[in-house]
Amino acid sequence: PGDRVATLFGLEMDRYGTHGELILYPADMLVAVPADLSMIEAAASWMQYGTAYGLIDVGRIAASDAVVINAASSSVGLAAIQIALAEGATPIAITRTRSKADALLAAGAAHVIVSDEEDVPARIRDITGGAGARIAFDAVAGAPLAELLAAMAPRGAVIVYGMLGGFSVELMLPLLMMGNLALH
């Protein structure tokens, strides 16, 4: 009692809401907050890896997977690159500008696609030898989501976790259906 703690991720939000100053949360899902961190910093420190954990929990990432990560220079994108590498997968980073390419390669991306300069689906197919990506980890959605579908391997999984490209998208359902793709 009285310790400064933060919550770990992974519990149902409808049962364990965490948006408040006082909450009821299982003790084994709490972690001590170091004295030199503010509560805001402590709350934010888990977000990027908790989100990127979707590659494991939802995508069931495997060592042979080509994993496309857009908005790759974001904190979640960088965490996703690290998780893909830790699982032995091949991280393919997408960024809008060439100025971020070297930093993404230094962070461990096996390939970098600059979406403002390149045909993203064609480049993904080229990188994967025509096979397509098994997983796409999408922070953008919007119109670029439709492009990702064209670059997916059969039975691939597209995990959307953000809406940087807009709240809606028009999808070509045959790409989902004929590729037997999963959209999460």
Side-chain angles (χ1 to χ4, degrees), residues 81-122:
I81 289 170
Q82 292 176 3
I83 287 174
L85 289 171
E87 296 299 313
T90 302
I92 302 169
I94 300 176
T95 186
R96 287 182 295 136
T97 61
R98 174 111 3 237
S99 64
K100 297 177 183 177
D102 288 340
L104 287 167
L105 290 169
H111 306 275
V112 176
I113 300 170
V114 179
S115 62
D116 284 355
E117 300 174 9
E118 301 178 77
D119 178 330
V120 172

Side-chain angles (χ1 to χ4, degrees), residues 49-78:
Y49 290 95
T51 303
Y53 189 76
L55 288 171
I56 293 171
D57 190 42
V58 177
R60 305 285 186 231
I61 192 172
S64 61
D65 291 338
V67 180
V68 173
I69 303 161
N70 64 14
S73 61
S74 68
S75 62
V76 175
L78 294 171

Side-chain angles (χ1 to χ4, degrees), residues 94-184:
I94 300 176
T95 186
R96 287 182 295 136
T97 61
R98 174 111 3 237
S99 64
K100 297 177 183 177
D102 288 340
L104 287 167
L105 290 169
H111 306 275
V112 176
I113 300 170
V114 179
S115 62
D116 284 355
E117 300 174 9
E118 301 178 77
D119 178 330
V120 172
R123 185 81 169 94
I124 292 169
R125 285 191 301 273
D126 180 53
I127 290 168
T128 61
R134 221 274 300 151
I135 301 174
F137 198 57
D138 184 16
V140 179
L145 174 57
E147 288 186 352
L148 283 180
L149 294 179
M152 297 302 296
R155 292 177 299 284
V158 179
I159 303 166
V160 179
Y161 71 93
M163 296 171 278
L164 295 171
F167 297 149
S168 62
V169 62
E170 186 173 322
L171 297 176
M172 296 298 294
L173 292 177
L175 288 174
L176 282 169
M177 297 164 73
M178 291 178 1
N180 199 19
L181 302 178
L183 179 59
H184 301 273

